[in-house]
Amino acid sequence: MVFFNSQSNYSQFLKSEFVSSVSLEGGQVSSEFDLSKTDFSAAKSIEQATKQGAEVLMLAANAETLDKALQVVQINQKKLNLLGGDDIYTVKTLEVGREQAVDMVLAVPWHIKGNSQSDFPQKSRQLWRADVSWRTALAYDATRALIAALERNPTRSGVQQALSSSDFSASGASGAVRFLPSGDRNTSVQLVKIVPGTRSRTGYDFEPLQ
C-alpha cells in the first residue's frame, strides 16, 4: 500500500518511482491512498490494507501531509512494515510516532553517522555545536561542487560544462560528488531505521542501516 499526496510533485514522483521499483522486483502495489483528500481515513485505509493482505505500507508523504501519515503509523500499531521517504525524516516523526514508529525504514540522502570515514560530522559539530541535518550536508556538497566547477572555468557556461563532465568530482560531506549524464547525482541512498535512543532527546533516533 502506498500513501501519497496527489497535490505534491515530490510525493507523486516518489510514489511513481516506488511503484515502478516494486513492480520490477516482482512485487505488487495493491492500493494507493491520497492523503490530500478531505475524506481520507487512516483507520479505513489500514482496514483495507489488512483485508487485501498487504505486507508493507509506504508513506510517500510530504511536509503538508505528514500529520496524516503519522496517523497511519499510530493506527497501524506495528502490524505492517513501514517505509518512508525523506520528508518523514523529522523529529516530529519520532515525537509523535514513538514506539509505533520503531523499525520504520526511511530512504534519505545522508545521515550524520552514515560514513565513519568522513570528517564532516566532526567539523560541523565544532562549527554549529550540534548535529546537522541532511539538508546542511547537501548544501555543503552543492557549494563544494560549485567551487570545483568555478576553479575549472569561472563562467556560467563553464560551470555547466564542468558539472556535466564525466571526469568531474568534488570532495563532499560523505565522499565524492559526481553527476550522471541525466544531471542527477551519482550516489547511493542512505537507509535509516527508527530505534529507541537518546541522541534526539525524544527517546527515539534514526540510525543508519549499513
Side-chain angles (χ1 to χ4, degrees), residues 23-115:
S23 178
L24 287 173
E25 293 296 329
Q28 179 182 358
V29 174
S30 56
S31 293
E32 299 176 3
F33 298 101
D34 188 352
L35 296 167
S36 69
K37 287 187 175 181
T38 56
D39 62 347
F40 171 79
S41 168
K44 290 181 179 179
S45 300
I46 295 296
E47 181 181 356
Q48 182 176 334
T50 303
K51 288 181 179 179
Q52 293 186 3
E55 297 177 358
V56 178
L57 304 179
M58 166 58 175
L59 305 179
N62 66 331
E64 286 73 24
T65 52
L66 177 60
D67 287 344
K68 289 185 177 180
L70 293 179
Q71 289 176 16
V72 174
V73 173
Q74 293 172 315
I75 293 175
N76 180 54
Q77 295 285 305
K78 299 178 69 174
K79 294 176 182 177
L80 302 176
N81 295 316
L82 295 171
L83 303 177
D86 53 40
D87 266 10
I88 307 293
Y89 184 55
T90 69
V91 173
K92 186 174 185 178
T93 297
L94 302 177
E95 293 173 336
V96 177
R98 301 189 65 77
E99 181 61 28
Q100 306 308 323
V102 169
D103 291 334
M104 181 195 295
V105 175
L106 309 178
V108 299
W110 180 87
H111 187 278
I112 197 165
K113 294 170 64 177
N115 184 354

Side-chain angles (χ1 to χ4, degrees), residues 12-24:
Q12 287 267 37
F13 176 78
L14 184 58
K15 185 261 292 185
S16 297
E17 289 294 304
F18 180 77
V19 171
S20 296
S21 296
V22 170
S23 178
L24 287 173

